[in-house]
Amino acid sequence: MKTLVVFDFDYTIVDDNSDTWVIRSTPEQTLPDWLKKSYERGRWTEYMARVLTYIGDQSVQPGHMRAVMESIPFTDGMIELLTFISENKKDIDCIIISDSNSVFIDWVLHASGLKSAIDDVFTNPASIDARGYVNVRCFHAHDCQQCPVNLCKRRVLHDFREKQAQADVHYERICYIGDGGNDFCPVRELKEGDIAMPRKGFTLEKLLCKAISEDSEALHAKIMPWASGNEILRELTALIE
């Protein structure tokens, strides 16, 4: 049985927020106040749709936006980790579940030459229209009270595992690698034998520490905080050997 590795994208694979990094493609490299103030809590994707329309209105071409996105830095050790995964596909399946969008993730992975490491990407669907504007839509609707309206990562992971099970693909363990508040929901669903890998010093690690301090039985998975992808690489190497 294989190991399933699940990645978040922003501040996990890449060392920044792809949705704010794209603002560097605008002439002023900033957004007007009226646009910033239009954000409503839990509705980031709708806000990003407005941001991307604004960027298009500034006559920013997709090629320029792509070049800017391709300059986003990878988190330390992630290139090595993804290279290892791409070389060990017989033992590892790997998916991304992210609140970014499909165009940004595709551009970044394509430029890095590491697309072959990833079996599937679950994120807000995006496309480039005839005007050269990037359009983004919400990934799905769900009834989870903990998650943003456009994406419950627990539901995505659950649905992926069910689909795989129907194809007779079962996993020995899941390694979930993330940093943010929206990674807490799926991590709580992990079972004994699975590994939750929160990035050190980020929101997910703090939420996990709080949950464990309130109830030591709250989480079933092993918790392994990380600062570099090389730490995850060592753990993954030991697991599959």
Side-chain angles (χ1 to χ4, degrees):
M1 285 163 68
K2 285 183 166 184
T3 293
L4 175 65
V5 176
V6 183
F7 280 102
D8 175 42
F9 189 70
D10 293 331
Y11 285 112
T12 298
I13 290 179
V14 294
D15 201 15
D16 214 297
N17 180 339
S18 56
D19 281 342
T20 54
W21 191 266
V22 75
I23 296 163
R24 294 164 184 246
S25 68
T26 63
E28 305 290 324
Q29 300 204 359
T30 185
L31 298 176
D33 284 344
W34 63 264
L35 184 50
K36 291 178 188 170
K37 287 173 182 168
S38 75
Y39 169 64
E40 296 174 55
R41 184 176 167 83
R43 296 190 172 271
W44 180 262
T45 303
E46 291 101 317
Y47 168 71
M48 276 310 298
R50 293 191 292 277
V51 169
L52 292 166
T53 297
Y54 171 80
I55 291 173
D57 288 345
Q58 305 310 299
S59 303
V60 175
Q61 296 301 306
H64 176 58
M65 207 186 299
R66 179 172 187 157
V68 168
M69 293 312 301
E70 288 175 352
S71 71
I72 194 169
F74 274 75
T75 302
D76 180 60
M78 280 296 161
I79 298 273
E80 293 84 350
L81 176 57
L82 288 169
T83 301
F84 174 81
I85 290 170
S86 69
E87 292 167 351
N88 289 276
K89 296 308 293 176
K90 71 179 196 312
D91 296 309
I92 303 168
D93 281 351
C94 180
I95 62 173
I96 292 172
I97 309 176
S98 167
D99 208 357
S100 178
N101 70 70
S102 58
V103 166
F104 289 178
I105 292 174
D106 189 64
W107 280 345
V108 173
L109 291 178
H110 200 269
S112 70
L114 292 167
K115 250 184 123 170
S116 61
I118 311 297
D119 296 292
D120 223 329
V121 177
F122 300 93
T123 187
N124 302 298
S127 57
I128 300 167
D129 68 18
R131 300 170 299 167
Y133 285 41
V134 176
N135 298 310
V136 63
R137 304 187 310 282
C138 294
F139 179 75
H140 63 184
H142 61 82
D143 52 14
C144 176
Q145 299 302 305
Q146 275 74 53
C147 290
V149 294
N150 62 295
L151 180 65
C152 171
K153 295 188 175 189
R154 175 185 53 78
R155 162 99 173 269
V156 175
L157 181 56
H158 176 268
D159 289 353
F160 176 78
R161 290 178 68 191
E162 282 213 330
K163 181 168 161 271
Q164 291 293 86
Q166 286 165 10
D168 209 27
V169 178
H170 304 275
Y171 295 106
E172 187 174 347
R173 70 184 69 80
I174 296 172
C175 299
Y176 190 103
I177 305 160
D179 73 284
N182 64 356
D183 295 308
F184 184 57
C185 186
V187 162
R188 285 189 305 177
E189 290 295 303
L190 297 178
K191 308 281 190 285
E192 202 170 321
D194 295 336
I195 309 174
M197 298 180 167
R199 189 173 182 184
K200 286 178 185 171
F202 284 72
T203 304
L204 177 60
E205 185 190 30
K206 292 167 188 168
L207 290 172
L208 291 174
C209 288
K210 183 171 181 283
I212 292 163
S213 70
E214 290 171 357
D215 176 8
S216 61
E217 305 291 309
L219 299 158
H220 304 293
K222 174 183 167 186
I223 312 293
M224 195 205 102
W226 59 276
S228 160
N230 291 310
E231 295 167 70
I232 302 168
L233 174 52
R234 285 194 291 275
E235 179 76 11
L236 210 49
T237 304
L239 286 175
I240 68 170
E241 273 177 355

